[in-house]
Amino acid sequence: MSRTSSPPATDAAIGLDWANDEDGALDHAYQRWGPLVHGLARKAVGPVEAEDVTQQVFLSAWRARETYSPDHGPLGAWLVGITRRVVADTLRVRRRSAQVPVADDQDVPEGRWEDVDRDDLLSVYEELERIGDPPRQILLLAYVHDKTQKEIAELLDLPLGTVKTHTTRTLARLRTRLGGAP
């Protein structure tokens, strides 16, 4: 991987580079979606195993890169699907072996990822991409990085009321998009 190349300008460009097996595609994809994958993994399996899951996701994705097609959806959504499978496998192994106990502070409910519909994950991801920033940043900081609304306001240098409004409106939009109650 080339560390000197600049990343493509858009998510679509990164996806095309990935599909065409361009130099630096893995690096660009990791820079763009690594935090999202790691955050999802951290929520599901806890901080101890999140780094391993993240590495497994990108390794699996790279090995299966010829199966990715930009026509079927964005690269980020494809990576979220791989994350879901790797997390499910990790949780299955954890339950079977019982050698890796879940710490009290992790509080990971069983079946959390196995029961999530892949289409719902893709819909959430695609809608977040459409929403843009700062609402997208706010939701990712809140639900992937476990930041409070006050912390988010400080990080993004926004008024707390603005963060709360963006959160409420964006969650309502996602609920509507997924067909839930308004």
Side-chain angles (χ1 to χ4, degrees):
M1 282 183 281
S2 170
R3 294 277 179 198
T4 59
S5 63
S6 61
T10 65
D11 292 351
I14 296 171
L16 285 174
D17 284 356
W18 184 279
N20 295 324
D21 202 14
E22 297 287 333
D23 285 341
L26 178 60
D27 190 34
H28 295 150
Y30 186 80
Q31 287 173 17
R32 171 63 180 92
W33 290 290
L36 173 66
V37 168
H38 187 267
L40 292 171
R42 189 174 190 283
K43 283 283 227 188
V45 300
V48 175
E49 292 177 280
E51 192 65 38
D52 289 339
V53 168
T54 302
Q55 289 176 355
Q56 288 174 25
V57 167
F58 281 93
L59 182 61
S60 295
W62 188 248
R63 287 180 177 159
R65 65 189 174 275
E66 67 278 349
T67 65
Y68 170 71
S69 171
D71 297 335
H72 292 104
L75 180 61
W78 186 68
L79 292 169
V80 167
I82 293 172
T83 302
R84 180 183 163 274
R85 287 188 295 278
V86 172
V87 164
D89 291 344
T90 301
L91 292 175
R92 242 183 258 112
V93 167
R94 179 189 285 175
R95 280 194 302 270
R96 263 190 242 131
S97 69
Q99 292 175 348
V100 183
V102 176
D104 290 339
D105 62 341
Q106 290 177 344
D107 195 26
V108 178
E110 290 200 21
R112 178 177 181 171
W113 284 82
E114 289 92 346
D115 296 335
V116 176
D117 181 36
R118 182 174 186 266
D119 291 335
D120 285 347
L121 279 176
L122 292 175
S123 295
V124 168
Y125 176 81
E126 289 169 353
E127 191 63 22
L128 283 174
E129 288 299 308
R130 271 192 284 274
I131 288 170
D133 291 327
R136 183 178 75 81
Q137 284 179 309
I138 291 169
L139 278 193
L140 290 176
L141 286 168
Y143 293 99
V144 175
H145 299 285
D146 289 327
K147 300 289 184 195
T148 65
Q149 289 180 328
K150 184 177 178 184
E151 291 171 327
I152 294 167
E154 290 170 4
L155 281 169
L156 299 179
D157 196 26
L158 292 171
L160 180 58
T162 301
V163 171
K164 289 180 178 187
T165 300
H166 278 305
T167 302
T168 303
R169 287 181 182 164
T170 306
L171 288 174
R173 183 175 175 179
L174 288 173
R175 246 183 250 111
T176 300
R177 168 89 171 130
L178 295 174

